[in-house]
């Protein structure tokens, strides 16, 4: 990375945007991603991709409220002003669209644009179908059966079965401009260089693996979210030490996931360290295909008992919440699991002995990990720590290290696919912000690849019945009770290796002002400005 060039580009950006009334400064952010996420609408690079190039340049029909640091985020109207399910037929959802919205290219947003965007993900025969975006978005909306434009400002989407989680699913689907795609020759590679959404930020410069630059879109439909900055520059910096060095030297103003051992010195240098609880966990997703050692509940429980979660927290400089389950302690869906996660090597060894293992006959298996990535925290030292913990319980782990985006592709392909390279688990951190994304998609039988992201091919009729009950429970309080039962089953059967929860640390220059860190994977950069 040539940071001198980046600084020159940023300076040029300040001049470019100097005429924008009220705008103040250029903000340069060091991401954990190794490349610029897809800019075409449905981003790659996991939750970080959506954070920086989804909810910045684009909107969904339903957005997330990112305005508060003090409460968990909830859904709010986006490009749809309202939505409702048909009381007589709960497979039919009607969306009333927001009038007067324009894409960055000046074309109008309407029901035809919504249908066009669903087709780009779901209809392989559509001219605008994009395999890359489909790979990111299709699995987010498995409930969709059909869709139609009722009138220019009304869309009906039908689900395969009644599904009370559907609003959370549709909040993942970003709306790209059909007119811009036509203008650039019906080519998504060309669109990626000059993309057009309806979001508060507009991309003006895109250099793969180096940077992307955005300026405020003054015509944004929500005046409260028109950005205060003159320019936002994103730089891929996958190594924590490189991100930290870039912040120290003034080459960037803000970094995601600073190196834990650098926190104290960054504070001494006057940097801001911003943290908040958010819906995230750090797990190993376990294969349940035939022959996997994780099919034995005694082995799964032993692994969970072998992990020193307080030690992980210490390794991370205190920037973690030790796992008590798949969801963090105190979460409304936590329930009351009978199996208590704790560090108990003696009990772990007892279970391993019962399963037929011992010091002279350890369980030997391979786990896939990535060196960086969205939500992966500090994956190399953390995985090495867990590896040492498990060895004390006669579980001998070898790692295969792959790029984060490669790991995502392996996750989508499933544990039976050759891309999993014989591994019986992968270190994959999860977005646990809603019922479908947080719980259902991981373990429902019908969502085994290629239909979904049940990577491990888990299948249990009782769990499937609980998932069906969630979808058919439209009362929020009653739905919470079902979700608690699901989470209890996750923990009591040790369905994942559950290690910790992130607090989403960011380090930033004291010049960065106005940022409100939402309890969400996504963030709103519109209130941010740079002090002079």
């Amino acid at each position: 990375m040539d940071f001198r060039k980046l600084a020159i580009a940023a300076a040029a950006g300040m001049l470019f945007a100097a005429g924008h009334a009220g705008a103040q400064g250029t903000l340069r952010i060091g991401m954990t991603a190794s490349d610029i996420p897809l800019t075409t609408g449905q981003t790659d690079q996991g939750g970080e991709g959506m954070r920086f190039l989804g909810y910045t340049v684009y909107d969904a029909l339903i957005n997330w409220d990112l305005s508060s640091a003090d409460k968990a985020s909830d859904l709010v109207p986006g490009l749809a002003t309202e939505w409702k399910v048909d009381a007589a037929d709960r497979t039919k959802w009607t969306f009333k669209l927001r009038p007067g919205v324009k894409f960055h290219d000046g074309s109008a947003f309407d029901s035809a644009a919504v249908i066009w965007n669903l087709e780009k993900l779901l209809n392989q025969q559509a001219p605008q179908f994009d395999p890359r975006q489909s790979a990111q978005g299709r699995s987010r909306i498995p409930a969709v059966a059909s869709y139609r434009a009722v009138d220019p400002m009304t869309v009906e989407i039908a689900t395969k079965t009644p599904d009370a989680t559907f609003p959370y699913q549709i909040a993942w689907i970003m709306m790209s401009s059909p007119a811009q795609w036509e203008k650039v020759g019906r080519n998504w590679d060309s669109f990626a260089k000059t993309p057009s959404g309806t979001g508060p930020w507009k991309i003006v410069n895109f250099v793969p693996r180096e940077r992307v630059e955005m300026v405020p879109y003054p015509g944004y439909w929500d005046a409260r979210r028109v950005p205060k900055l003159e320019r936002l520059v994103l730089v891929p910096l996958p190594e924590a030490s490189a991100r930290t060095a870039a912040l120290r030297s003034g080459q960037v103003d803000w970094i995601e996931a600073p190196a834990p051992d650098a926190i104290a010195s960054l504070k001494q240098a006057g940097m801001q360290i911003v943290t908040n609880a958010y819906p995230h966990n750090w797990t190993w997703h376990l294969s349940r295909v035939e022959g996997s050692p994780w099919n034995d509940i005694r082995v799964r429980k032993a692994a969970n008992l072998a992990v020193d979660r307080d030690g992980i927290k210490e390794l991370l400089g205190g920037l973690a919440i030790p796992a008590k389950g798949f969801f963090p302690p105190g979460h409304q869906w936590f329930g009351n699991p009978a199996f208590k996660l704790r560090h108990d090597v003696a009990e772990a060894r007892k279970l391993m002995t019962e399963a037929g293992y011992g010091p002279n006959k350890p369980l030997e298996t391979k786990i896939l990990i990535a060196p960086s990535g969205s939500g992966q925290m500090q994956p190399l030292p953390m995985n090495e720590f867990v590896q040492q913990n498990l060895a004390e319980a006669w579980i001998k782990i070898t790692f295969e290290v792959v790029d984060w985006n490669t790991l995502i592709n392996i996750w989508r392909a499933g544990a039976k696919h050759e891309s999993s390279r014989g591994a019986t688990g992968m270190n994959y951190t999860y977005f646990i912000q809603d019922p479908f994304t947080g719980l259902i998609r991981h373990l429902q039988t019908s969502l085994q690849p290629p239909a979904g992201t049940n990577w491990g091919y888990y299948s249990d009729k009782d769990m499937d019945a609980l998932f069906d009950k969630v979808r058919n429970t439209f009362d929020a309080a009653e739905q919470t009770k079902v979700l608690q039962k699901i989470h209890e089953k996750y923990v009591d059967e040790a369905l994942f290796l559950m290690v910790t929860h992130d607090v989403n640390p960011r380090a930033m220059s004291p010049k960065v002002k106005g940022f409100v860190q939402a309890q969400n994977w996504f963030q709103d950069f519109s209130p941010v400005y740079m002090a002079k």
Side-chain angles (χ1 to χ4, degrees), residues 229-376:
L229 288 163
E230 293 165 348
R231 181 165 290 219
L232 177 61
V233 181
L234 306 176
V235 184
L237 290 170
E239 298 299 326
S241 58
R243 289 193 300 277
T244 303
L247 180 63
R248 289 186 192 279
S249 64
Q251 294 163 332
V252 296
D253 312 294
W254 163 326
I255 59 173
E256 301 284 285
D261 59 2
I263 295 294
S265 61
L266 286 171
K267 286 182 178 179
Q268 287 182 336
M271 300 298 178
Q272 305 174 71
I273 306 298
V274 183
T275 65
N276 203 357
Y278 81 124
H280 167 276
N281 63 23
W282 196 94
T283 67
W284 283 7
H285 194 147
L286 307 174
S287 170
R288 300 300 297 276
V289 303
E290 186 177 356
S292 171
W294 306 111
N295 285 327
D296 190 328
I297 190 172
R298 296 168 297 187
V299 172
R300 299 196 304 272
K301 285 188 171 182
N304 273 284
L305 291 170
V307 175
D308 178 7
R309 294 169 181 83
D310 290 331
I312 287 279
K313 182 177 180 179
E314 184 177 350
L315 174 71
L316 295 171
L319 298 178
I321 300 170
K324 297 294 184 182
F326 198 71
F327 277 76
H331 193 280
Q332 67 268 29
W333 300 341
F334 193 88
N336 186 28
F339 179 52
K340 306 301 181 185
L341 299 189
R342 62 195 187 277
H343 186 213
D344 190 337
V345 176
E347 181 64 19
R349 287 179 173 179
K350 179 182 176 184
L351 288 166
M352 289 298 289
T353 300
E354 292 175 5
Y357 299 99
N360 298 318
K361 186 188 175 184
L363 187 163
E364 298 186 28
T365 194
K366 181 167 70 173
I367 303 294
L368 292 157
I369 68 173
S372 64
S374 169
Q376 295 296 96

Side-chain angles (χ1 to χ4, degrees), residues 85 103 148 213 215 252 293 327 358 392 406 428 467 476 505:
V85 66
F103 287 101
R148 68 185 183 95
E213 302 180 32
V215 298
V252 296
F327 277 76
E392 295 181 18
T406 300
Y428 207 102
F467 291 155

Side-chain angles (χ1 to χ4, degrees), residues 405-468:
N405 234 25
T406 300
L407 190 67
I408 294 175
N409 292 333
I410 294 170
W411 171 65
R412 289 201 173 94
K416 292 181 180 179
H417 193 269
E418 62 183 10
S419 63
S420 285
R421 310 167 197 204
T424 67
M426 64 163 60
N427 169 217
Y428 207 102
T429 67
Y430 281 120
F431 176 110
I432 50 174
Q433 204 154 286
D434 63 75
F436 174 76
T437 308
L439 293 167
I440 296 172
R441 64 174 176 155
H442 307 310
L443 299 181
Q444 182 168 300
T445 301
S446 63
L447 294 179
Q448 294 175 359
T453 53
N454 178 352
W455 176 80
Y457 290 84
Y458 171 89
S459 180
D460 181 275
K461 61 180 177 58
D462 294 333
M463 185 71 90
D464 287 340
L466 286 169
F467 291 155
D468 286 342

Side-chain angles (χ1 to χ4, degrees), residues 55 60-65 74-87 92-98 153-157 163-171 221 474:
Y55 280 104
L61 293 177
I62 301 173
N63 286 346
W64 286 94
D65 180 2
D74 204 351
L75 299 177
V76 292
L79 294 176
T81 57
E82 59 180 280
W83 58 93
K84 63 180 180 179
V85 66
D86 188 327
K92 292 183 178 179
W93 294 82
T94 301
F95 295 83
K96 293 290 185 181
L97 305 186
R98 188 176 298 279
M153 300 305 292
T154 308
V155 170
E156 180 186 272
I157 302 178
D163 193 342
T165 73
F166 183 61
Y168 293 103
Q169 296 180 36
I170 206 69
W221 56 266
F474 287 79

Side-chain angles (χ1 to χ4, degrees), residues 46-52 54-56 62-76 168 171-172 174 225 254 256 274-281 328 331 374-375 430-434 437 502-506 515-525:
E48 187 174 47
M50 286 289 287
R51 180 184 313 138
F52 286 118
Y55 280 104
T56 46
I62 301 173
N63 286 346
W64 286 94
D65 180 2
L66 305 174
S67 63
S68 174
D70 301 325
K71 61 182 181 180
S73 298
D74 204 351
L75 299 177
V76 292
Y168 293 103
W172 280 95
M174 303 288 103
R225 289 192 63 214
W254 163 326
E256 301 284 285
V274 183
T275 65
N276 203 357
Y278 81 124
H280 167 276
N281 63 23
H331 193 280
S374 169
Y430 281 120
F431 176 110
I432 50 174
Q433 204 154 286
D434 63 75
T437 308
D502 199 359
V503 293
N504 209 13
R506 296 179 164 93
F515 176 58
V516 176
Q517 181 150 313
Q519 294 183 31
N520 197 291
W521 273 72
F522 314 130
Q523 299 296 327
D524 185 6
F525 303 98

